[in-house]
Amino acid sequence: MNGTMYGLIPAAGLDTRVRPYSESMPKSMLPINGVPNLQRIVELMRDQVGIEEIVIITGYRAEVIEEYFEDGHSFGVTIRYVRNTALHKGLAWSVLLGQQWIRGEFVVILSDECYVNSNHHELLDPA
């Protein structure tokens, strides 16, 4: 790995599959054992992969995510946001939108994935 490793988290879906739970917040902000899942992903990127710069692609209820994480400082990272206003274009479009802030290698973790005992640290030393 050369240079900065970036994190990219697509969190722009409409969250229709988990309604009514997602009526007031994005699915990624639903708590797991008292902690929003998206926070768990940010911390995983920071702690296991050493990522300091994260881009979160937001859409539905974007303000909930942006107000919670702000600039990322209180989580030990820098967070930038890109709003996906064309949600019908899907996941690949969200990933493409992040390119304006990414200048090198990056890790994508979907905002609704939940990990226990992750091996993401192995990304730093691929075999």
Side-chain angles (χ1 to χ4, degrees):
M1 181 180 82
N2 298 321
T4 301
M5 175 74 78
Y6 295 87
L8 176 66
I9 306 172
L14 290 171
D15 301 336
T16 55
R17 290 179 287 186
V18 294
R19 298 254 167 93
Y21 306 107
S22 63
E23 287 178 356
S24 63
M25 71 177 72
K27 176 173 53 175
S28 63
M29 293 300 289
L30 292 172
I32 297 175
N33 200 24
V35 177
N37 192 58
L38 188 52
Q39 180 179 332
R40 293 172 172 279
I41 293 170
V42 167
E43 292 169 349
L44 182 152
M45 287 181 160
R46 179 196 67 207
D47 298 343
Q48 287 210 27
V49 191
I51 291 173
E52 297 175 358
E53 296 185 43
I54 298 174
V55 178
I56 300 177
I57 310 302
T58 59
Y60 172 74
R61 305 284 300 181
E63 70 282 355
V64 173
I65 294 170
E66 294 166 3
E67 289 172 10
Y68 185 84
F69 289 101
E70 298 178 328
D71 65 0
H73 178 76
S74 62
F75 297 92
V77 296
T78 298
I79 297 178
R80 302 184 194 287
Y81 303 95
V82 178
R83 288 209 180 171
N84 181 347
T85 58
L87 297 178
H88 65 282
K89 292 185 177 182
L91 174 60
W93 181 251
S94 284
V95 172
L96 183 64
L97 289 174
Q99 74 179 341
Q100 63 185 295
W101 295 111
I102 295 173
R103 300 287 177 256
E105 297 177 307
F106 64 101
V107 173
V108 177
I109 299 179
L110 303 181
S111 66
D112 58 359
E113 294 178 349
C114 181
Y115 295 95
V116 176
N117 299 323
S118 161
N119 66 339
H120 283 83
H121 63 276
E122 292 178 9
L123 292 169
L124 298 174
D125 188 27

